[in-house]
Amino acid sequence: MSSPLLQTLRKASALTIALALCACTGAGAQTNLYRALGGEPGISRITELFILEIANDARVIHYFEVSNVQRFREKFSEHLCVISDGPCEYTGDTMVDTHVGMHVTEGDFNAIVEDLIAAMNKAGVTLAAQNRLLERLAALRGEIIYL
Amino acid sequence: MPRILASALLVLFLLPWGQAAFAQGRLTGTGGVSSISGAGGGGLIPWATLSSLATQDQFGAVAFVTRTDVDDFQLDVAGAAVTLRNRLELSLAKREFTIKANDSRIRQNVAGLKLKVAGDLVYGGIPQIAIGAEHHHLHDPATAQAVGAARNDGTDYYASVARAWIDGPLHRTGMININLRYSRANQYGILGHGGDDQDRTLQLEAAAAVFLSRRLAIGAEYRQKPDNLLALKEDSASDIFLAWFPNKHFSVTGAWVRLGDIAGASDQNGFYLSFQGAF
């Protein structure tokens, strides 16, 4: 199972392979998450599909009714890019500033997670890449819910 | 048990249950399935997870039926559980244990109570920690008396820790659960409690699972058991399971179980099949 030791070993072996590949090709051959998500076009597609999922989700659409969709599209894409180690800069507000006063519940947060999973499924993102991204996003939950 | 019930009632009054509604706000699979005691868990053991997918703002309820069929015995369990705000779980199960050789039956009721103490299965820095109690009441105590049980009824207490990793082994979501049970039950209380050895002892229980997809989990469980009766050896139990969650309201779990020696019949192996509905 995923004991700390196993995780460390896995990360260590991944690093070793990455270093070996870098040494051979002289380029960043490491499969970073940004590439696994399909790079810029992949993230654009995930974002579009995610917006469509939210638009059809009665549980959470009310949070977005006053949102500027164009701005959400831009900042969410940037966020996915940065969090997946892509070559971007996040220019949006902090997670706390964005969500304060919205009173997002635990259930609403999970609804958004389900919408993102549905979007990634439709975009053809592998389960492995989905889980790598979801784990990074899950760490932000404390900056989003019950504010 | 009365003290535990009193504590549970205190919790009921202290927490603002009022505005919660029945809903399924947690992620699919994070409620586990129904164990043979009725408590939320795996199959052979309860887990720190609470039944249904109710969040801290919601109520949830599940109902289940389970058949375990091994070489010389069969155990049928039907039950239900209610979860209040993902904090407190109350469960009831009716068991019917069949001895195939003479087609005799032992009926038993189990009432369970589980309180989430801290943490969360998936999110944040603290794993989900719960404490619980399972009270066994025998309707047909003749067999328990015949094999030398000290009591017909009894209560097990347990503490449980569970953690999931979204990005676990091979980038699949995985989880581990560990319980410490304080028990003197003979074969899940079906053969009563206590015997030649009267004291409760600490028993270790563990489970591990990996989600092969978002809807299909594979895993294994281990349950150490007391061995109170000199005349009858009691072994630890284990299983390998496959659980399918086609949606948030229904699950099917199949397992291969190894229950060891039961009441003098050796190496009892067989299958386990369970259906659960949730809302």
Side-chain angles (χ1 to χ4, degrees), chain A residues 1 7 10 105-106 109-110 114 117 127-128 130-132 134-135 141 146, chain B residues 25-26 55-57 123 166-167 171-172 175-176 208-209 212 214 248:
Chain A
M1 283 306 300
Q7 284 185 333
R10 206 173 61 240
T105 66
E106 183 193 353
F109 181 88
N110 288 334
E114 288 165 9
I117 289 170
L127 185 59
Q130 288 186 22
N131 286 339
R132 289 169 70 190
L134 290 173
E135 177 141 308
R141 180 172 175 263
Y146 299 108
Chain B
R26 270 148 65 206
T55 68
Q56 62 187 284
D57 308 301
Y123 299 111
I166 296 172
D167 186 21
H171 297 300
R172 293 298 183 269
M175 68 86 65
I176 290 178
L212 301 175
R214 299 253 175 251
K248 285 190 162 190

PDB file of all heavy atoms in Angstrom, chain A residues 1 7 10 105-106 109-110 114 117 127-128 130-132 134-135 141 146, chain B residues 25-26 55-57 123 166-167 171-172 175-176 208-209 212 214 248:
ATOM      1  N   MET A   1       0.840  -1.189   0.000  1.00  0.00           N
ATOM      2  CA  MET A   1       0.000   0.000   0.000  1.00  0.00           C
ATOM      3  C   MET A   1       0.872   1.234   0.000  1.00  0.00           C
ATOM      4  O   MET A   1       2.089   1.175  -0.074  1.00  0.00           O
ATOM      5  CB  MET A   1      -0.908   0.001   1.232  1.00  0.00           C
ATOM      6  CG  MET A   1      -2.089  -0.931   1.140  1.00  0.00           C
ATOM      7  SD  MET A   1      -3.103  -0.678  -0.326  1.00  0.00           S
ATOM      8  CE  MET A   1      -3.602   1.020  -0.058  1.00  0.00           C
ATOM      9  N   GLN A   7       6.069   5.358  -0.876  1.00  0.00           N
ATOM     10  CA  GLN A   7       5.951   6.592  -1.648  1.00  0.00           C
ATOM     11  C   GLN A   7       7.325   7.186  -1.912  1.00  0.00           C
ATOM     12  O   GLN A   7       7.615   7.630  -3.019  1.00  0.00           O
ATOM     13  CB  GLN A   7       5.084   7.603  -0.884  1.00  0.00           C
ATOM     14  CG  GLN A   7       3.611   7.262  -0.966  1.00  0.00           C
ATOM     15  CD  GLN A   7       2.738   8.322  -0.326  1.00  0.00           C
ATOM     16  OE1 GLN A   7       3.185   9.024   0.574  1.00  0.00           O
ATOM     17  NE2 GLN A   7       1.524   8.463  -0.800  1.00  0.00           N
ATOM     18  N   ARG A  10       9.057   5.139  -4.458  1.00  0.00           N
ATOM     19  CA  ARG A  10       8.498   5.362  -5.786  1.00  0.00           C
ATOM     20  C   ARG A  10       8.987   6.683  -6.362  1.00  0.00           C
ATOM     21  O   ARG A  10       9.370   6.773  -7.518  1.00  0.00           O
ATOM     22  CB  ARG A  10       6.964   5.348  -5.708  1.00  0.00           C
ATOM     23  CG  ARG A  10       6.321   4.960  -7.013  1.00  0.00           C
ATOM     24  CD  ARG A  10       4.819   4.773  -6.874  1.00  0.00           C
ATOM     25  NE  ARG A  10       4.166   5.971  -6.460  1.00  0.00           N
ATOM     26  CZ  ARG A  10       3.450   6.079  -5.348  1.00  0.00           C
ATOM     27  NH1 ARG A  10       3.304   5.051  -4.568  1.00  0.00           N
ATOM     28  NH2 ARG A  10       2.871   7.219  -5.031  1.00  0.00           N
ATOM     29  N   THR A 105     -19.735  24.380   0.921  1.00  0.00           N
ATOM     30  CA  THR A 105     -19.769  23.248   1.856  1.00  0.00           C
ATOM     31  C   THR A 105     -18.887  22.113   1.347  1.00  0.00           C
ATOM     32  O   THR A 105     -18.459  22.098   0.191  1.00  0.00           O
ATOM     33  CB  THR A 105     -21.203  22.707   2.024  1.00  0.00           C
ATOM     34  OG1 THR A 105     -21.611  22.140   0.773  1.00  0.00           O
ATOM     35  CG2 THR A 105     -22.170  23.792   2.439  1.00  0.00           C
ATOM     36  N   GLU A 106     -18.680  21.157   2.256  1.00  0.00           N
ATOM     37  CA  GLU A 106     -17.934  19.950   1.919  1.00  0.00           C
ATOM     38  C   GLU A 106     -18.579  19.235   0.720  1.00  0.00           C
ATOM     39  O   GLU A 106     -17.888  18.796  -0.198  1.00  0.00           O
ATOM     40  CB  GLU A 106     -17.956  19.058   3.167  1.00  0.00           C
ATOM     41  CG  GLU A 106     -17.185  17.782   3.083  1.00  0.00           C
ATOM     42  CD  GLU A 106     -17.526  16.826   4.228  1.00  0.00           C
ATOM     43  OE1 GLU A 106     -18.273  17.209   5.172  1.00  0.00           O
ATOM     44  OE2 GLU A 106     -17.054  15.684   4.163  1.00  0.00           O
ATOM     45  N   PHE A 109     -17.967  21.132  -2.523  1.00  0.00           N
ATOM     46  CA  PHE A 109     -16.586  20.926  -2.958  1.00  0.00           C
ATOM     47  C   PHE A 109     -16.471  19.593  -3.699  1.00  0.00           C
ATOM     48  O   PHE A 109     -15.892  19.510  -4.784  1.00  0.00           O
ATOM     49  CB  PHE A 109     -15.646  20.952  -1.751  1.00  0.00           C
ATOM     50  CG  PHE A 109     -14.187  20.781  -2.092  1.00  0.00           C
ATOM     51  CD1 PHE A 109     -13.401  21.865  -2.413  1.00  0.00           C
ATOM     52  CD2 PHE A 109     -13.607  19.517  -2.103  1.00  0.00           C
ATOM     53  CE1 PHE A 109     -12.062  21.711  -2.738  1.00  0.00           C
ATOM     54  CE2 PHE A 109     -12.274  19.347  -2.435  1.00  0.00           C
ATOM     55  CZ  PHE A 109     -11.495  20.442  -2.750  1.00  0.00           C
ATOM     56  N   ASN A 110     -17.070  18.551  -3.099  1.00  0.00           N
ATOM     57  CA  ASN A 110     -17.026  17.237  -3.747  1.00  0.00           C
ATOM     58  C   ASN A 110     -17.789  17.237  -5.064  1.00  0.00           C
ATOM     59  O   ASN A 110     -17.400  16.536  -6.012  1.00  0.00           O
ATOM     60  CB  ASN A 110     -17.572  16.158  -2.816  1.00  0.00           C
ATOM     61  CG  ASN A 110     -16.624  15.849  -1.675  1.00  0.00           C
ATOM     62  OD1 ASN A 110     -15.412  16.042  -1.797  1.00  0.00           O
ATOM     63  ND2 ASN A 110     -17.159  15.389  -0.558  1.00  0.00           N
ATOM     64  N   GLU A 114     -16.371  16.093  -8.625  1.00  0.00           N
ATOM     65  CA  GLU A 114     -17.040  15.162  -9.548  1.00  0.00           C
ATOM     66  C   GLU A 114     -17.179  15.779 -10.942  1.00  0.00           C
ATOM     67  O   GLU A 114     -17.025  15.079 -11.951  1.00  0.00           O
ATOM     68  CB  GLU A 114     -18.410  14.776  -8.985  1.00  0.00           C
ATOM     69  CG  GLU A 114     -18.311  13.841  -7.790  1.00  0.00           C
ATOM     70  CD  GLU A 114     -19.594  13.726  -6.976  1.00  0.00           C
ATOM     71  OE1 GLU A 114     -20.633  14.244  -7.442  1.00  0.00           O
ATOM     72  OE2 GLU A 114     -19.548  13.129  -5.897  1.00  0.00           O
ATOM     73  N   ILE A 117     -13.809  15.573 -12.549  1.00  0.00           N
ATOM     74  CA  ILE A 117     -13.541  14.189 -12.978  1.00  0.00           C
ATOM     75  C   ILE A 117     -14.299  13.895 -14.270  1.00  0.00           C
ATOM     76  O   ILE A 117     -13.743  13.319 -15.221  1.00  0.00           O
ATOM     77  CB  ILE A 117     -13.929  13.186 -11.865  1.00  0.00           C
ATOM     78  CG1 ILE A 117     -12.939  13.276 -10.699  1.00  0.00           C
ATOM     79  CG2 ILE A 117     -13.981  11.755 -12.409  1.00  0.00           C
ATOM     80  CD1 ILE A 117     -13.362  12.510  -9.452  1.00  0.00           C
ATOM     81  N   LEU A 127      -6.568   7.861 -15.829  1.00  0.00           N
ATOM     82  CA  LEU A 127      -6.884   7.825 -14.400  1.00  0.00           C
ATOM     83  C   LEU A 127      -5.667   8.247 -13.573  1.00  0.00           C
ATOM     84  O   LEU A 127      -5.802   8.965 -12.578  1.00  0.00           O
ATOM     85  CB  LEU A 127      -7.341   6.407 -14.012  1.00  0.00           C
ATOM     86  CG  LEU A 127      -7.822   6.191 -12.587  1.00  0.00           C
ATOM     87  CD1 LEU A 127      -9.015   7.082 -12.270  1.00  0.00           C
ATOM     88  CD2 LEU A 127      -8.175   4.726 -12.364  1.00  0.00           C
ATOM     89  N   ALA A 128      -4.484   7.824 -14.012  1.00  0.00           N
ATOM     90  CA  ALA A 128      -3.264   8.173 -13.268  1.00  0.00           C
ATOM     91  C   ALA A 128      -3.057   9.683 -13.233  1.00  0.00           C
ATOM     92  O   ALA A 128      -2.797  10.261 -12.177  1.00  0.00           O
ATOM     93  CB  ALA A 128      -2.061   7.478 -13.902  1.00  0.00           C
ATOM     94  N   GLN A 130      -5.327  11.971 -13.743  1.00  0.00           N
ATOM     95  CA  GLN A 130      -6.436  12.552 -12.966  1.00  0.00           C
ATOM     96  C   GLN A 130      -6.105  12.543 -11.479  1.00  0.00           C
ATOM     97  O   GLN A 130      -6.268  13.545 -10.786  1.00  0.00           O
ATOM     98  CB  GLN A 130      -7.722  11.745 -13.193  1.00  0.00           C
ATOM     99  CG  GLN A 130      -8.346  11.915 -14.559  1.00  0.00           C
ATOM    100  CD  GLN A 130      -9.697  11.198 -14.658  1.00  0.00           C
ATOM    101  OE1 GLN A 130     -10.347  10.922 -13.663  1.00  0.00           O
ATOM    102  NE2 GLN A 130     -10.104  10.902 -15.883  1.00  0.00           N
ATOM    103  N   ASN A 131      -5.640  11.382 -11.005  1.00  0.00           N
ATOM    104  CA  ASN A 131      -5.370  11.259  -9.572  1.00  0.00           C
ATOM    105  C   ASN A 131      -4.205  12.144  -9.131  1.00  0.00           C
ATOM    106  O   ASN A 131      -4.218  12.697  -8.034  1.00  0.00           O
ATOM    107  CB  ASN A 131      -5.094   9.794  -9.209  1.00  0.00           C
ATOM    108  CG  ASN A 131      -6.364   8.961  -9.222  1.00  0.00           C
ATOM    109  OD1 ASN A 131      -7.465   9.493  -9.125  1.00  0.00           O
ATOM    110  ND2 ASN A 131      -6.211   7.655  -9.348  1.00  0.00           N
ATOM    111  N   ARG A 132      -3.194  12.280 -10.011  1.00  0.00           N
ATOM    112  CA  ARG A 132      -2.065  13.160  -9.669  1.00  0.00           C
ATOM    113  C   ARG A 132      -2.552  14.594  -9.522  1.00  0.00           C
ATOM    114  O   ARG A 132      -2.156  15.300  -8.593  1.00  0.00           O
ATOM    115  CB  ARG A 132      -0.989  13.077 -10.757  1.00  0.00           C
ATOM    116  CG  ARG A 132      -0.244  11.745 -10.773  1.00  0.00           C
ATOM    117  CD  ARG A 132       0.615  11.608 -12.007  1.00  0.00           C
ATOM    118  NE  ARG A 132       1.768  12.509 -11.969  1.00  0.00           N
ATOM    119  CZ  ARG A 132       2.576  12.731 -13.020  1.00  0.00           C
ATOM    120  NH1 ARG A 132       2.326  12.130 -14.177  1.00  0.00           N
ATOM    121  NH2 ARG A 132       3.597  13.531 -12.908  1.00  0.00           N
ATOM    122  N   LEU A 134      -5.788  15.578  -8.958  1.00  0.00           N
ATOM    123  CA  LEU A 134      -6.758  15.693  -7.861  1.00  0.00           C
ATOM    124  C   LEU A 134      -6.068  15.756  -6.510  1.00  0.00           C
ATOM    125  O   LEU A 134      -6.492  16.482  -5.616  1.00  0.00           O
ATOM    126  CB  LEU A 134      -7.742  14.514  -7.907  1.00  0.00           C
ATOM    127  CG  LEU A 134      -8.732  14.538  -9.078  1.00  0.00           C
ATOM    128  CD1 LEU A 134      -9.534  13.233  -9.121  1.00  0.00           C
ATOM    129  CD2 LEU A 134      -9.678  15.734  -8.989  1.00  0.00           C
ATOM    130  N   GLU A 135      -4.980  14.994  -6.349  1.00  0.00           N
ATOM    131  CA  GLU A 135      -4.265  15.035  -5.072  1.00  0.00           C
ATOM    132  C   GLU A 135      -3.714  16.435  -4.802  1.00  0.00           C
ATOM    133  O   GLU A 135      -3.765  16.928  -3.672  1.00  0.00           O
ATOM    134  CB  GLU A 135      -3.145  13.997  -5.039  1.00  0.00           C
ATOM    135  CG  GLU A 135      -2.350  14.068  -3.747  1.00  0.00           C
ATOM    136  CD  GLU A 135      -1.952  12.709  -3.195  1.00  0.00           C
ATOM    137  OE1 GLU A 135      -2.834  11.847  -3.039  1.00  0.00           O
ATOM    138  OE2 GLU A 135      -0.754  12.525  -2.919  1.00  0.00           O
ATOM    139  N   ARG A 141      -8.253  22.328  -0.333  1.00  0.00           N
ATOM    140  CA  ARG A 141      -9.627  22.293   0.177  1.00  0.00           C
ATOM    141  C   ARG A 141      -9.824  23.213   1.380  1.00  0.00           C
ATOM    142  O   ARG A 141     -10.835  23.903   1.493  1.00  0.00           O
ATOM    143  CB  ARG A 141      -9.981  20.862   0.540  1.00  0.00           C
ATOM    144  CG  ARG A 141     -11.393  20.654   1.098  1.00  0.00           C
ATOM    145  CD  ARG A 141     -11.615  19.164   1.212  1.00  0.00           C
ATOM    146  NE  ARG A 141     -12.859  18.787   1.830  1.00  0.00           N
ATOM    147  CZ  ARG A 141     -12.986  18.461   3.116  1.00  0.00           C
ATOM    148  NH1 ARG A 141     -11.950  18.519   3.912  1.00  0.00           N
ATOM    149  NH2 ARG A 141     -14.149  18.070   3.590  1.00  0.00           N
ATOM    150  N   TYR A 146     -16.196  26.312   3.669  1.00  0.00           N
ATOM    151  CA  TYR A 146     -16.683  26.931   4.909  1.00  0.00           C
ATOM    152  C   TYR A 146     -15.990  28.255   5.210  1.00  0.00           C
ATOM    153  O   TYR A 146     -15.559  28.516   6.329  1.00  0.00           O
ATOM    154  CB  TYR A 146     -16.547  25.954   6.091  1.00  0.00           C
ATOM    155  CG  TYR A 146     -17.362  24.702   5.895  1.00  0.00           C
ATOM    156  CD1 TYR A 146     -16.751  23.491   5.610  1.00  0.00           C
ATOM    157  CD2 TYR A 146     -18.750  24.751   5.939  1.00  0.00           C
ATOM    158  CE1 TYR A 146     -17.500  22.339   5.398  1.00  0.00           C
ATOM    159  CE2 TYR A 146     -19.507  23.616   5.741  1.00  0.00           C
ATOM    160  CZ  TYR A 146     -18.884  22.412   5.469  1.00  0.00           C
ATOM    161  OH  TYR A 146     -19.629  21.283   5.263  1.00  0.00           O
TER     162      TYR A 146
ATOM    163  N   GLY B  25     -23.259  13.629  -0.221  1.00  0.00           N
ATOM    164  CA  GLY B  25     -22.286  14.630  -0.675  1.00  0.00           C
ATOM    165  C   GLY B  25     -20.838  14.194  -0.693  1.00  0.00           C
ATOM    166  O   GLY B  25     -19.987  14.926  -1.186  1.00  0.00           O
ATOM    167  N   ARG B  26     -20.531  13.018  -0.143  1.00  0.00           N
ATOM    168  CA  ARG B  26     -19.139  12.558  -0.188  1.00  0.00           C
ATOM    169  C   ARG B  26     -18.884  11.835  -1.508  1.00  0.00           C
ATOM    170  O   ARG B  26     -19.807  11.494  -2.237  1.00  0.00           O
ATOM    171  CB  ARG B  26     -18.851  11.644   1.002  1.00  0.00           C
ATOM    172  CG  ARG B  26     -18.350  12.410   2.234  1.00  0.00           C
ATOM    173  CD  ARG B  26     -18.805  11.746   3.508  1.00  0.00           C
ATOM    174  NE  ARG B  26     -18.240  10.421   3.685  1.00  0.00           N
ATOM    175  CZ  ARG B  26     -18.826   9.459   4.401  1.00  0.00           C
ATOM    176  NH1 ARG B  26     -19.983   9.671   4.982  1.00  0.00           N
ATOM    177  NH2 ARG B  26     -18.255   8.286   4.512  1.00  0.00           N
ATOM    178  N   THR B  55     -22.268  14.064   4.307  1.00  0.00           N
ATOM    179  CA  THR B  55     -21.197  14.955   4.764  1.00  0.00           C
ATOM    180  C   THR B  55     -21.538  15.476   6.157  1.00  0.00           C
ATOM    181  O   THR B  55     -22.556  15.096   6.735  1.00  0.00           O
ATOM    182  CB  THR B  55     -21.056  16.174   3.840  1.00  0.00           C
ATOM    183  OG1 THR B  55     -22.231  16.988   3.983  1.00  0.00           O
ATOM    184  CG2 THR B  55     -20.896  15.756   2.384  1.00  0.00           C
ATOM    185  N   GLN B  56     -20.726  16.379   6.655  1.00  0.00           N
ATOM    186  CA  GLN B  56     -20.971  16.963   7.982  1.00  0.00           C
ATOM    187  C   GLN B  56     -22.248  17.798   8.022  1.00  0.00           C
ATOM    188  O   GLN B  56     -22.692  18.193   9.099  1.00  0.00           O
ATOM    189  CB  GLN B  56     -19.785  17.818   8.415  1.00  0.00           C
ATOM    190  CG  GLN B  56     -19.513  18.993   7.505  1.00  0.00           C
ATOM    191  CD  GLN B  56     -18.214  19.709   7.878  1.00  0.00           C
ATOM    192  OE1 GLN B  56     -18.138  20.437   8.837  1.00  0.00           O
ATOM    193  NE2 GLN B  56     -17.180  19.458   7.111  1.00  0.00           N
ATOM    194  N   ASP B  57     -22.841  18.082   6.832  1.00  0.00           N
ATOM    195  CA  ASP B  57     -24.089  18.848   6.779  1.00  0.00           C
ATOM    196  C   ASP B  57     -25.294  17.964   6.478  1.00  0.00           C
ATOM    197  O   ASP B  57     -26.395  18.475   6.286  1.00  0.00           O
ATOM    198  CB  ASP B  57     -23.998  19.913   5.673  1.00  0.00           C
ATOM    199  CG  ASP B  57     -22.747  20.753   5.799  1.00  0.00           C
ATOM    200  OD1 ASP B  57     -22.586  21.387   6.849  1.00  0.00           O
ATOM    201  OD2 ASP B  57     -21.930  20.760   4.847  1.00  0.00           O
ATOM    202  N   TYR B 123      -9.282  13.965   2.985  1.00  0.00           N
ATOM    203  CA  TYR B 123      -8.737  15.322   2.974  1.00  0.00           C
ATOM    204  C   TYR B 123      -8.035  15.688   4.278  1.00  0.00           C
ATOM    205  O   TYR B 123      -8.334  15.159   5.336  1.00  0.00           O
ATOM    206  CB  TYR B 123      -9.869  16.328   2.743  1.00  0.00           C
ATOM    207  CG  TYR B 123     -10.594  16.170   1.431  1.00  0.00           C
ATOM    208  CD1 TYR B 123     -11.912  15.726   1.403  1.00  0.00           C
ATOM    209  CD2 TYR B 123      -9.970  16.479   0.219  1.00  0.00           C
ATOM    210  CE1 TYR B 123     -12.596  15.605   0.199  1.00  0.00           C
ATOM    211  CE2 TYR B 123     -10.649  16.355  -0.979  1.00  0.00           C
ATOM    212  CZ  TYR B 123     -11.965  15.917  -0.986  1.00  0.00           C
ATOM    213  OH  TYR B 123     -12.633  15.803  -2.171  1.00  0.00           O
ATOM    214  N   ILE B 166      -5.477   9.732  -2.611  1.00  0.00           N
ATOM    215  CA  ILE B 166      -6.057   9.894  -3.950  1.00  0.00           C
ATOM    216  C   ILE B 166      -5.070   9.384  -4.996  1.00  0.00           C
ATOM    217  O   ILE B 166      -5.425   8.650  -5.902  1.00  0.00           O
ATOM    218  CB  ILE B 166      -6.405  11.373  -4.210  1.00  0.00           C
ATOM    219  CG1 ILE B 166      -7.489  11.843  -3.241  1.00  0.00           C
ATOM    220  CG2 ILE B 166      -6.861  11.565  -5.665  1.00  0.00           C
ATOM    221  CD1 ILE B 166      -7.766  13.340  -3.298  1.00  0.00           C
ATOM    222  N   ASP B 167      -3.824   9.823  -4.844  1.00  0.00           N
ATOM    223  CA  ASP B 167      -2.768   9.425  -5.780  1.00  0.00           C
ATOM    224  C   ASP B 167      -1.895   8.384  -5.087  1.00  0.00           C
ATOM    225  O   ASP B 167      -0.779   8.653  -4.671  1.00  0.00           O
ATOM    226  CB  ASP B 167      -1.963  10.670  -6.178  1.00  0.00           C
ATOM    227  CG  ASP B 167      -0.937  10.360  -7.257  1.00  0.00           C
ATOM    228  OD1 ASP B 167      -1.102   9.349  -7.968  1.00  0.00           O
ATOM    229  OD2 ASP B 167       0.035  11.119  -7.377  1.00  0.00           O
ATOM    230  N   HIS B 171      -0.494   5.323  -9.011  1.00  0.00           N
ATOM    231  CA  HIS B 171      -1.406   6.449  -9.263  1.00  0.00           C
ATOM    232  C   HIS B 171      -2.872   6.034  -9.173  1.00  0.00           C
ATOM    233  O   HIS B 171      -3.737   6.632  -9.809  1.00  0.00           O
ATOM    234  CB  HIS B 171      -1.114   7.109 -10.616  1.00  0.00           C
ATOM    235  CG  HIS B 171       0.255   7.708 -10.678  1.00  0.00           C
ATOM    236  ND1 HIS B 171       0.675   8.698  -9.816  1.00  0.00           N
ATOM    237  CD2 HIS B 171       1.310   7.442 -11.487  1.00  0.00           C
ATOM    238  CE1 HIS B 171       1.923   9.020 -10.101  1.00  0.00           C
ATOM    239  NE2 HIS B 171       2.334   8.268 -11.102  1.00  0.00           N
ATOM    240  N   ARG B 172      -3.151   4.988  -8.392  1.00  0.00           N
ATOM    241  CA  ARG B 172      -4.522   4.613  -8.126  1.00  0.00           C
ATOM    242  C   ARG B 172      -4.865   5.055  -6.704  1.00  0.00           C
ATOM    243  O   ARG B 172      -3.997   5.154  -5.856  1.00  0.00           O
ATOM    244  CB  ARG B 172      -4.720   3.088  -8.243  1.00  0.00           C
ATOM    245  CG  ARG B 172      -4.540   2.541  -9.666  1.00  0.00           C
ATOM    246  CD  ARG B 172      -5.565   3.146 -10.599  1.00  0.00           C
ATOM    247  NE  ARG B 172      -5.488   2.609 -11.948  1.00  0.00           N
ATOM    248  CZ  ARG B 172      -4.747   3.118 -12.937  1.00  0.00           C
ATOM    249  NH1 ARG B 172      -3.974   4.181 -12.726  1.00  0.00           N
ATOM    250  NH2 ARG B 172      -4.783   2.583 -14.140  1.00  0.00           N
ATOM    251  N   MET B 175      -6.495   2.856   0.096  1.00  0.00           N
ATOM    252  CA  MET B 175      -6.777   3.167   1.494  1.00  0.00           C
ATOM    253  C   MET B 175      -6.332   2.039   2.413  1.00  0.00           C
ATOM    254  O   MET B 175      -6.205   0.886   2.000  1.00  0.00           O
ATOM    255  CB  MET B 175      -8.267   3.476   1.710  1.00  0.00           C
ATOM    256  CG  MET B 175      -9.225   2.334   1.535  1.00  0.00           C
ATOM    257  SD  MET B 175      -9.459   1.340   3.020  1.00  0.00           S
ATOM    258  CE  MET B 175     -10.224   2.508   4.121  1.00  0.00           C
ATOM    259  N   ILE B 176      -6.055   2.420   3.661  1.00  0.00           N
ATOM    260  CA  ILE B 176      -5.708   1.448   4.695  1.00  0.00           C
ATOM    261  C   ILE B 176      -6.567   1.738   5.915  1.00  0.00           C
ATOM    262  O   ILE B 176      -6.818   2.900   6.242  1.00  0.00           O
ATOM    263  CB  ILE B 176      -4.207   1.552   5.066  1.00  0.00           C
ATOM    264  CG1 ILE B 176      -3.335   1.043   3.928  1.00  0.00           C
ATOM    265  CG2 ILE B 176      -3.905   0.773   6.347  1.00  0.00           C
ATOM    266  CD1 ILE B 176      -1.849   1.166   4.201  1.00  0.00           C
ATOM    267  N   ALA B 208      -6.959  -3.221   3.555  1.00  0.00           N
ATOM    268  CA  ALA B 208      -6.325  -2.362   2.555  1.00  0.00           C
ATOM    269  C   ALA B 208      -7.088  -2.522   1.255  1.00  0.00           C
ATOM    270  O   ALA B 208      -7.582  -3.615   0.945  1.00  0.00           O
ATOM    271  CB  ALA B 208      -4.865  -2.759   2.363  1.00  0.00           C
ATOM    272  N   ALA B 209      -7.239  -1.426   0.527  1.00  0.00           N
ATOM    273  CA  ALA B 209      -7.982  -1.487  -0.738  1.00  0.00           C
ATOM    274  C   ALA B 209      -7.390  -0.524  -1.747  1.00  0.00           C
ATOM    275  O   ALA B 209      -6.776   0.483  -1.379  1.00  0.00           O
ATOM    276  CB  ALA B 209      -9.459  -1.153  -0.504  1.00  0.00           C
ATOM    277  N   LEU B 212      -9.309   0.261  -8.649  1.00  0.00           N
ATOM    278  CA  LEU B 212      -8.766  -0.001  -9.986  1.00  0.00           C
ATOM    279  C   LEU B 212      -9.317   1.022 -10.966  1.00  0.00           C
ATOM    280  O   LEU B 212      -8.660   1.415 -11.922  1.00  0.00           O
ATOM    281  CB  LEU B 212      -9.150  -1.412 -10.441  1.00  0.00           C
ATOM    282  CG  LEU B 212      -8.661  -2.542  -9.532  1.00  0.00           C
ATOM    283  CD1 LEU B 212      -9.215  -3.880 -10.009  1.00  0.00           C
ATOM    284  CD2 LEU B 212      -7.138  -2.571  -9.477  1.00  0.00           C
ATOM    285  N   ARG B 214     -12.746   4.334 -10.895  1.00  0.00           N
ATOM    286  CA  ARG B 214     -13.506   5.107  -9.904  1.00  0.00           C
ATOM    287  C   ARG B 214     -14.616   4.272  -9.279  1.00  0.00           C
ATOM    288  O   ARG B 214     -15.168   4.643  -8.256  1.00  0.00           O
ATOM    289  CB  ARG B 214     -14.122   6.340 -10.562  1.00  0.00           C
ATOM    290  CG  ARG B 214     -13.120   7.286 -11.145  1.00  0.00           C
ATOM    291  CD  ARG B 214     -12.966   8.559 -10.340  1.00  0.00           C
ATOM    292  NE  ARG B 214     -11.900   9.364 -10.890  1.00  0.00           N
ATOM    293  CZ  ARG B 214     -10.727   9.551 -10.319  1.00  0.00           C
ATOM    294  NH1 ARG B 214     -10.480   9.031  -9.129  1.00  0.00           N
ATOM    295  NH2 ARG B 214      -9.795  10.261 -10.916  1.00  0.00           N
ATOM    296  N   LYS B 248     -23.909   6.269  -6.605  1.00  0.00           N
ATOM    297  CA  LYS B 248     -23.796   6.621  -5.183  1.00  0.00           C
ATOM    298  C   LYS B 248     -24.826   5.898  -4.315  1.00  0.00           C
ATOM    299  O   LYS B 248     -24.806   6.033  -3.100  1.00  0.00           O
ATOM    300  CB  LYS B 248     -23.967   8.127  -5.016  1.00  0.00           C
ATOM    301  CG  LYS B 248     -22.754   8.929  -5.456  1.00  0.00           C
ATOM    302  CD  LYS B 248     -22.901  10.379  -5.047  1.00  0.00           C
ATOM    303  CE  LYS B 248     -21.541  11.072  -5.084  1.00  0.00           C
ATOM    304  NZ  LYS B 248     -21.608  12.412  -4.478  1.00  0.00           N
TER     305      LYS B 248
END
